[in-house]
Amino acid sequence: TQVLTTGAWHHIAETWSGGTTGTAIHLYIDGVETGYAATVNGVGTHASDVGVAYQMGGCCTNSYITGTIADVRVYNVALTATQVAQLYSTTWSNVSTGGTDTCGIAAAGSLWCWGQNLHGELGQNNTTEQKSPVQVPTTTTPLSWTAVTQSGLDGCGIASNQLYCWGNNTYGEDGNGNTTQNTTPVPVGAATSWSVISQGDGVSFDQSGCGITTAGSLWCWGNNRWGEAGQGNSVVSYATPQPVTVTGNPTWSTVSTSGNDTCAITTAGALWCWGKNTYGEVGNGNTTQQTSPVQVTTPAGGTATGWTAVSTGGYDTCAINNDGSGLGKLYCWGEDKYGEAGQSATVFVTSATYTPTQIATAALANAICAGSSGGATTASSLAPAGTYDAWLGTGSGTEAGPSANFATKSVI
């Protein structure tokens, strides 16, 4: 008999031969097969229980596991031994959430998504809501995923340097040459040289995508009515990736697109932004729409080539400028109606938010995330020693704790 630890999550699975009698039963605890094996008549007639009722006590005199179960979740799917181990893994390497959906990559490289799935953005070949993680299927040999992004309307991921997208695809944001909805991953071209991917749905559901190849070239596609594809025009959309170029043809290290605006950092640490710029979120000191990349104004206390991370959200942008210590100063700019630019007072918009403005003078950070929903934005940062700060509210009362809005950061 194996005793389960009280107050801890445990994953239990059982395999059997099926039928009306059930033979060759094998029991797995936390993804590891136990030494238990038996033949129990009748297991095949209790498929919904997967034999758990027999093994957890209360029905049998020879129960293998004892303990109290407070929460049971059943996955009514057939899994391979590898999938079982991945499902029960508690180690994840990548996660992205957008709107009403989330996707994550398990340490073994399997991709899992869950949420509303209104447009097939979970990649399940359906539009059925999923309240717990389900593995994203593929029609070929199982893929090992290394990156994923989820906008709430579409998802994209990279496996073996091949880029795949799926979901709504109204503006060609799946990048496969058309605007047909895709409920399973479709390859974005034949190239196998992608390393970075970002997708955004904007505050008006203006879906777009951008990616960086292993050679450091930057490409964007999808909605472009605000110039967020960086092509020097406002052509409504591009259904295939388009190259983004700036003076000097630099190589790129990271990119973030919100669906309204896009920002990217070169390998030399320069930050460029472009797009709608309604509230100065492009960061060049004005609110003029920018259909081609413009370099962000060098911030006070920072350097023009010190940028290490950037995140675009609805109508504002946040980024980190390295101070030389390995960590960086955190800056935000754009709309500050609800404090989303992180300043000491909430104002609808002032000239001070048209260029990068530092958040909390003494604060250092090494990661940043800004997001949009329903026309407003939030942001958060990861500081030294794992401190997580959330400071930007939208009025819904949930983004930064119990209060309605946070114009200054709140440590979580």
Side-chain angles (χ1 to χ4, degrees):
T1 299
Q2 182 166 334
V3 180
L4 299 182
T5 303
T6 302
W9 278 99
H10 295 278
H11 309 280
I12 301 167
E14 184 178 273
T15 62
W16 79 103
S17 62
T20 58
T21 58
T23 59
I25 297 171
H26 296 275
L27 187 65
Y28 297 80
I29 300 176
D30 296 329
V32 178
E33 185 174 1
T34 69
Y36 178 86
T39 298
V40 180
N41 291 333
V43 170
T45 64
H46 297 273
S48 61
D49 298 325
V50 196
V52 171
Y54 279 90
Q55 308 307 328
M56 289 306 299
C59 79
C60 307
T61 58
N62 62 339
S63 298
Y64 185 73
I65 302 173
T66 62
T68 301
I69 297 180
D71 190 338
V72 175
R73 302 182 186 185
V74 175
Y75 292 84
N76 189 25
V77 293
L79 302 175
T80 65
T82 299
Q83 290 172 325
V84 168
Q86 291 174 342
L87 176 62
Y88 299 146
S89 171
T90 57
T91 303
W92 298 81
S93 62
N94 195 297
V95 67
S96 177
T97 185
T100 56
D101 305 274
T102 301
C103 291
I105 300 174
S110 59
L111 178 59
W112 303 76
C113 293
W114 56 99
Q116 187 178 26
N117 200 28
L118 188 63
H119 304 282
E121 64 270 20
L122 301 187
Q124 298 299 307
N125 199 27
N126 58 49
T127 55
T128 304
E129 179 180 356
Q130 302 290 341
K131 295 185 178 180
S132 57
V134 289
Q135 189 170 5
V136 176
T138 58
T139 57
T140 60
T141 303
L143 300 174
S144 179
W145 299 87
T146 55
V148 64
T149 182
Q150 173 62 244
S151 72
L153 294 172
D154 302 86
C156 287
I158 298 174
S160 300
N161 296 127
Q162 169 70 62
L163 177 59
Y164 298 84
C165 292
W166 56 94
N168 194 36
N169 203 29
T170 298
Y171 295 99
E173 65 272 15
D174 288 351
N176 66 325
N178 58 54
T179 56
T180 302
Q181 184 183 62
N182 299 292
T183 58
T184 58
V186 293
V188 179
T192 56
S193 59
W194 297 93
S195 62
V196 178
I197 179 65
S198 176
Q199 261 206 348
D201 63 7
V203 295
S204 302
F205 305 108
D206 300 323
Q207 308 96 289
S208 60
C210 291
I212 298 174
T213 69
T214 53
S217 60
L218 175 61
W219 301 73
C220 291
W221 59 93
N223 185 71
N224 186 55
R225 62 174 174 162
W226 310 119
E228 57 268 50
Q231 299 302 301
N233 59 52
S234 297
V235 171
V236 174
S237 64
Y238 290 96
T240 57
Q242 305 297 308
V244 179
T245 59
V246 301
T247 302
N249 294 317
T251 54
W252 302 86
S253 63
T254 190
V255 63
S256 175
T257 182
S258 70
N260 291 335
D261 305 270
T262 303
C263 291
I265 300 174
T266 70
T267 52
L271 176 59
W272 297 72
C273 294
W274 57 97
K276 192 173 185 180
N277 202 29
T278 303
Y279 299 107
E281 62 270 19
V282 166
N284 66 328
N286 59 54
T287 57
T288 303
Q289 181 179 342
Q290 303 292 336
T291 60
S292 296
V294 294
Q295 194 161 0
V296 172
T297 302
T298 302
T303 65
T305 56
W307 299 101
T308 59
V310 63
S311 184
T312 56
Y315 288 127
D316 66 321
T317 305
C318 291
I320 296 171
N321 196 284
N322 198 308
D323 68 346
S325 69
L327 293 170
K329 296 176 182 178
L330 181 60
Y331 297 85
C332 291
W333 56 97
E335 184 190 29
D336 201 29
K337 182 179 180 180
Y338 299 110
E340 56 265 54
Q343 306 309 305
S344 59
T346 56
V347 293
F348 185 70
V349 64
T350 70
S351 59
T353 58
Y354 293 172
T355 57
T357 304
Q358 189 175 355
I359 305 296
T361 303
L364 298 177
N366 55 19
I368 178 68
C369 180
S372 64
S373 178
T377 57
T378 60
S380 55
S381 70
L382 183 64
T387 304
Y388 181 77
D389 296 337
W391 66 91
L392 315 183
T394 69
S396 67
T398 61
E399 291 82 7
S403 299
N405 299 304
F406 280 76
T408 56
K409 69 190 184 79
S410 302
V411 178
I412 296 177

